[in-house]
Structures are given as structure tokens and as C-alpha cells.
């Protein structure tokens, strides 16, 4: 490949989960530290990082079509880096199929992006999908910018090996970041303006570490310590596995005011037979028992989950059990997906793969049930007083958009500003957002 001029501007496009959003921000910070500026909205960037997701269907195909579309107006191509989980899983194929890609970098290696870039401008094509023992976090620049809400990756990877899931292969084994490292990053984010931090991990509630005094702590301990930081007002965490829902973490939902009353606890299916085939290692009853205890600790908790329909061998009866579970829980919101056979996972080669029409029909019914419950949850919030953290401007002049403690989008008119926490009364409920009236502020 010919040499290229070093890029002056970059754009990172992140797909998929919140951890990818976090990684994308950190790659941006790393490039900015090299003197490369973020491309302005609408401008063509010299360097484009596609931060990809591999969790479901057609992700790789999408990468190829995105690469094709990156041509610039003058016909030239920008420097292209493919990052994220597709890079990890299919790096060699990408290099073979897409000659315009200069760099392929996995989720555990992106701290090496500046070195890779130096080689790429010399005309080389570089792949780094190592999962090095030293952590990328030590090599990344300190956080300097933050909005009122920020993500903080505290744990990565997964050892659970659910039979449908690529995460254990693309993100590697479960690793917790060290307590001091996290406290430092949290402090930087707060200094930069964060009022709310969402702790991220593929199995965030499996986080374990040692606090400043050398005591072994779990996620509840980390939350308790972060809650002591006076300028941090809200803490959330996602996403969790039922088996790591410790008594102490459940208790924290009742004991730590700053921990928001929201829990995303995926169950995936409502039939024990399917759960077993998924290697989930919990049952419907054990899952419901956890939710009961969480509700006892925090009665107003809003619950969320993930569902997969059409897992191989899922019968009509199995699916009905999933609907029954949904009825029993009353989720405030949830995500649902059609099963997608991911190459290399055990479920991809199981007997009983279902036709797409069956999956479509089940997904529709499932989503109708979830929508019904989401509306019911929003309507049950009417008349409640709560605080809203303003994240951005709303659609209308003078309108603000923020989140309730229960993670609902709330809009209201006020002379407050971004980052303010405003006491309001919730007055109108729609399926996806609520309207509110701020309380009179005292002079
Ligand atoms: N097919 C469909 N959905 C999947 N998920 C993970 N792997 C698959 C797959 N192969 C869903 C699960 C998980 C969420 C992040 O994505 O519901 O909780
Ligand atoms: Fe995937 Fe299961 Fe691990 Fe979640 S717990 S990341 S679904 S293997």
C-alpha cells in the first residue's frame, strides 16, 4: 500500500453495546492525544474507526457495506480501522476481503492504535487482536471530558459460556479492573462534569477487587465507596448475570441512596428446558426469587431484562412460558432479540433450528407484551415526584430532556441547564417518555 499523509482528523463510529460506546470514547481520546482532531459534524474524516459489534446477525456483512460507503467525495478512501468484536472474531477475513482496511484492532488491544497508525501511514496493513496480560487501561490517557452522565468500564469479558453467545470468545475471560484505577477514573469523570456514572461490564456484578485498605470487596463495595464521592449524585450498573446477584448487592439497592432504583437482569427465556440448553445455570424460579428479594430491598425498583426468542428447540409451550414470566415480572422496559446462530458457538449447530417466520411471530408477541408493560409502568409513575438529571436540550425551545431515577426519558420546560438535577412531578406518560412539571424553586 502507498504511504499516506498522517491523518489530521478522525471519526469513531461505534455499534452495539454501551461498552463499545465507552471503548469508542477512549479510542477517540487516544487519537486526540496524538494531535488528531475529531472531524466536525458533516465533514469527511482522514481516519475512520468502525467500532463493530458481533453479538447478532449480519454484523460482519454490515461492516463490509460500511467500508464500501466510506469513499470520499474525491473518490479517495480515508484510513480505515476496524475495531471491536467483529475485528476480534474475523480480523483475518476482513483483511483478506476489504483491501481498503489498514488496521484491524481487537477490543483488548486498542491502546496500541497509535503504534499501528504509525505503521499504517508508512503503507503497512496491521492487525492486532491480542489479549495481552497488561491491561489497556494503564496505557490510555486520563479522562478529560464528560457530559453529565458517563460510562465507566469496571469489568470485561465473560466466563459463563451461554451456548448462543460470542462474548466469551470476542472479549475474553472475566477480568475486573483494580479499585484504585476505577476510583481515579471516576474522580476524573466527576471533575469533568459527570453527575451520574454507569458502571459497565459484560458481567458487571461479578466485579471483585480489594479496596484501599486491602479488604476484598464486590460490586456492592465498589458502589458504596463511589457513593462517598460528594459530587457524584447517581450510580447505575449494567449488565448483570442472575448468578452473581449477591446478597450484599441486593442489600445495596435498599441501603445506598445514590444507587438508582433500576436493575437490568437478563433472563433470556421463561422455560427451564430452554435455559438449560442455553447453559444459563439458573432456573425461572431462582430468577424470580432474586427479583423478589430485590423488590423487598427496594420496592420501587424498575426492572429490565433481555430475551431471546426462537432458541433451537424452543417449542410453542416453551415460548408461552416466557410470556408467562413477563406477565409475572412486569418489566419497566426490556430488550428482545431473535436467536441468531453465531459461528463457533454451540447453539449454532444444535438440532431444532427454527424457521425465521416462527421467530418473527414470537418476537412480535413478546414485544407486544413488553410494550404493554412499559406503558403500564410509565402510567404508574404519573403523579410521582422525583429528580431528573438533565442530559440535553429537548425538541422544543426551552425544553430539557433527562432521566428519572427509573431510567425513563423525561422532558420538561425550565430555566435550568444541562447537568442540573431538577425536582419534578411526572404529569404525562407516553410509551417511551414522560412529561414533567418542575417544582417551584425556592428564591
Ligand atoms: N442471538 C440473539 N440474541 C443474542 N444475545 C446474545 N447473543 C445472542 C444471539 N446469538 C442477546 C442476549 C444478551 C444480549 C446482550 O444480546 O439477550 O443478553
Ligand atoms: Fe454472553 Fe451469557 Fe456471558 Fe452474557 S452471561 S455475555 S449472554 S455468555
Amino acid at each position: 500500500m502507498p504511504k499516506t499523509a498522517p491523518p489530521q482528523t478522525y471519526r469513531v463510529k461505534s455499534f452495539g453495546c454501551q461498552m463499545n460506546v465507552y471503548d469508542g470514547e477512549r479510542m477517540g481520546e487516544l487519537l486526540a492525544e496524538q494531535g488528531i482532531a475529531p472531524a466536525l459534524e458533516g465533514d469527511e474524516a482522514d481516519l475512520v474507526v468502525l467500532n463493530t459489534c458481533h453479538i447478532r446477525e449480519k454484523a460482519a456483512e454490515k461492516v463490509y457495506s460500511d467500508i464500501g460507503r466510506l469513499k470520499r467525495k474525491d473518490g479517495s478512501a480515508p484510513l480505515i480501522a476496524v475495531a471491536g468484536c467483529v475485528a476480534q472474531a474475523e480480523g483475518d477475513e476482513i483483511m483478506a476481503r476489504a483491501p481498503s482496511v489498514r488496521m484491524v484492532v481487537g477490543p483488548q488491544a486498542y491502546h496500541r492504535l497509535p503504534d499501528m497508525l504509525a505503521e499504517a501511514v508508512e503503507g503497512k496493513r496491521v492487525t492486532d487482536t491480542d489479549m495481552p496480560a497488561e491491561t489497556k487501561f494503564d496505557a490510555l490517557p486520563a479522562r478529560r471530558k464528560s457530559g453529565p452522565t458517563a460510562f465507566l468500564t469496571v469489568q470485561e469479558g465473560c466466563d459463563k459460556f451461554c451456548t448462543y453467545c460470542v462474548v466469551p470468545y470476542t472479549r475474553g475471560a472475566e477480568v475486573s479492573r483494580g479499585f484504585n484505577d476505577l476510583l481515579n477514573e471516576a474522580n476524573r469523570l466527576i471533575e469533568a462534569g459527570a453527575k451520574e456514572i454507569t458502571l459497565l461490564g459484560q458481567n458487571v456484578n461479578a466485579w471483585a477487587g480489594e479496596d484501599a485498605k486491602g479488604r476484598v470487596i464486590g460490586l456492592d463495595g465498589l458502589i458504596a465507596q463511589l457513593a462517598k464521592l460528594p459530587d457524584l449524585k447517581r450510580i447505575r450498573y449494567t449488565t448483570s448475570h442472575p448468578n452473581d446477584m449477591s446478597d450484599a448487592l441486593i442489600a445495596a439497592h435498599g441501603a445506598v441512596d445514590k444507587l438508582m432504583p433500576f436493575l437490568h437482569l437478563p433472563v433470556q427465556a421463561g422455560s427451564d428446558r430452554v435455559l438449560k440448553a442455553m447453559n444459563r445455570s439458573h432456573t425461572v424460579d431462582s430468577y424470580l426469587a432474586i427479583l423478589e428479594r430485590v423488590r423487598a430491598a427496594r420496592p420501587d425498583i424498575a426492572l429490565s431484562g433481555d430475551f431471546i426468542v426462537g432458541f433451537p428447540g424452543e417449542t410453542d409451550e416453551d415460548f408461552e412460558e416466557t410470556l408467562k414470566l413477563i406477565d409475572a415480572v412486569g418489566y419497566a422496559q426490556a430488550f428482545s432479540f431473535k436467536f441468531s446462530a453465531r459461528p463457533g458457538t454451540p447453539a449454532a449447530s444444535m438440532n431444532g433450528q427454527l424457521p425465521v417466520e416462527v421467530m418473527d411471530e414470537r418476537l412480535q408477541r413478546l414485544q407486544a407484551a413488553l410494550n404493554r408493560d412499559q406503558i403500564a409502568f410509565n402510567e404508574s409513575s404519573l403523579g410521582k415526584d422525583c429528580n431528573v438529571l438533565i442530559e440535553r436540550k429537548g425538541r422544543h425551545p426551552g425544553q430539557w430532556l433527562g432521566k428519572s431515577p427509573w431510567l425513563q426519558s423525561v422532558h420538561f420546560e425550565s430555566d435550568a441547564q444541562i447537568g442540573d438535577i431538577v425536582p419534578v412531578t411526572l404529569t404525562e406518560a407516553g410509551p417511551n417518555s414522560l412529561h414533567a412539571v418542575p417544582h417551584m424553586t425556592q428564591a
Side-chain angles (χ1 to χ4, degrees):
M1 277 220 158
K3 286 191 186 185
T4 334
Q8 307 288 313
T9 58
Y10 74 84
R11 173 166 294 124
V12 180
K13 290 176 144 195
S14 289
F15 304 89
C17 67
Q18 290 157 329
M19 194 174 287
N20 256 16
V21 175
Y22 174 89
D23 289 342
E25 284 172 9
R26 305 240 45 194
M27 282 189 260
E29 291 162 353
L30 193 59
L31 295 170
E33 203 192 38
Q34 305 293 307
I36 308 171
L40 299 175
E41 185 89 26
D43 280 2
E44 292 178 326
D46 301 333
L47 166 65
V48 176
V49 181
L50 296 175
N51 191 22
T52 59
C53 169
H54 201 234
I55 198 108
R56 279 174 296 274
E57 214 89 46
K58 302 202 181 102
E61 289 315 311
K62 182 167 165 33
V63 176
Y64 293 111
S65 74
D66 284 345
I67 293 168
R69 264 189 274 124
L70 285 177
K71 277 240 165 52
R72 308 207 284 186
K73 287 191 201 96
D74 65 2
S76 67
L79 268 173
I80 301 173
V82 178
C85 292
V86 181
Q88 188 67 38
E90 299 185 18
D92 294 344
E93 273 168 77
I94 294 170
M95 277 299 190
R97 262 183 70 178
S100 60
V101 171
R102 295 281 185 109
M103 289 164 277
V104 161
V105 62
Q108 306 305 350
Y110 65 75
H111 55 297
R112 296 172 175 167
L113 209 47
D115 290 342
M116 297 174 73
L117 188 58
E119 292 192 49
V121 296
E122 287 301 313
K124 299 206 183 93
R125 303 181 76 210
V126 220
T127 298
D128 192 340
T129 48
D130 279 1
M131 296 206 179
E134 94 268 10
T135 142
K136 65 186 173 228
F137 297 108
D138 294 340
L140 294 171
R143 317 293 318 257
R144 290 207 188 86
K145 272 208 269 179
S146 175
T149 63
F151 291 134
L152 172 53
T153 293
V154 305
Q155 181 280 338
E156 271 191 281
C158 183
D159 297 338
K160 305 284 191 298
F161 290 94
C162 299
T163 51
Y164 50 80
C165 186
V166 287
V167 166
Y169 313 99
T170 56
R171 291 271 172 175
E174 276 177 20
V175 178
S176 296
R177 286 178 71 187
F179 176 77
N180 287 335
D181 187 19
L182 293 173
L183 205 58
N184 281 336
E185 190 169 330
N187 273 315
R188 294 289 94 74
L189 288 168
I190 296 162
E191 280 163 23
K195 300 276 171 51
E196 171 181 301
I197 291 182
T198 301
L199 308 175
L200 295 181
Q202 265 96 28
N203 271 291
V204 71
N205 57 341
W207 184 88
E210 282 181 13
D211 69 6
K213 294 189 177 128
R215 287 175 300 210
V216 174
I217 54 171
L219 187 68
D220 57 291
L222 177 63
I223 289 170
Q225 300 269 356
L226 291 174
K228 289 187 193 158
L229 305 175
D231 293 331
L232 180 63
K233 305 298 182 196
R234 293 175 152 197
I235 302 169
R236 302 181 186 275
Y237 64 93
T238 197
T239 183
S240 296
H241 192 285
N243 287 8
D244 292 314
M245 218 49 225
S246 69
D247 293 345
L249 184 57
I250 292 173
H253 276 282
V256 182
D257 284 345
K258 290 183 183 179
L259 180 58
M260 291 293 102
F262 186 93
L263 176 64
H264 180 243
L265 195 63
V267 62
Q268 314 296 357
S271 141
D272 283 341
R273 215 179 54 79
V274 173
L275 289 175
K276 192 149 192 279
M278 287 178 163
N279 192 32
R280 287 290 294 179
S281 62
H282 61 78
T283 61
V284 172
D285 282 350
S286 69
Y287 175 81
L288 290 173
I290 294 166
L291 296 189
E292 210 169 289
R293 285 161 56 220
V294 177
R295 275 189 164 141
R298 181 77 204 220
D300 70 335
I301 194 132
L303 296 168
S304 167
D306 289 347
F307 293 89
I308 297 176
V309 298
F311 188 80
E314 184 187 68
T315 62
D316 283 336
E317 291 74 35
D318 291 325
F319 176 66
E320 294 297 332
E321 289 192 57
T322 302
L323 293 178
K324 246 196 263 161
L325 169 73
I326 289 172
D327 288 348
V329 173
Y331 287 94
Q333 56 150 82
F335 302 95
S336 49
F337 314 100
K338 283 185 272 186
F339 169 73
S340 162
R342 308 311 293 136
T345 60
S349 52
M350 281 180 185
N351 291 332
Q353 304 282 328
L354 292 175
V356 68
E357 303 78 60
V358 173
M359 293 203 234
D360 282 337
E361 200 253 342
R362 287 183 187 166
L363 187 68
Q364 251 183 22
R365 289 179 63 197
L366 186 96
Q367 289 185 338
L370 291 172
N371 286 342
R372 172 202 69 199
D373 289 353
Q374 184 168 324
I375 292 170
F377 181 80
N378 287 347
E379 286 178 348
S380 75
S381 308
L382 285 179
K384 276 191 187 166
D385 293 333
C386 68
N387 287 328
V388 172
L389 168 58
I390 300 182
E391 294 179 13
R392 54 190 156 95
K393 284 189 175 156
R395 245 187 289 156
H396 307 294
Q399 197 187 52
W400 296 107
L401 198 65
K403 293 274 167 34
S404 76
W406 307 283
L407 206 65
Q408 297 148 302
S409 290
V410 179
H411 39 85
F412 59 94
E413 283 81 33
S414 143
D415 55 7
Q417 50 185 335
I418 290 175
D420 283 354
I421 293 178
V422 181
V424 303
T425 305
L426 301 171
T427 54
E428 285 169 50
N432 298 310
S433 65
L434 291 109
H435 190 74
V437 175
H439 294 176
M440 296 288 281
T441 42
Q442 271 158 7

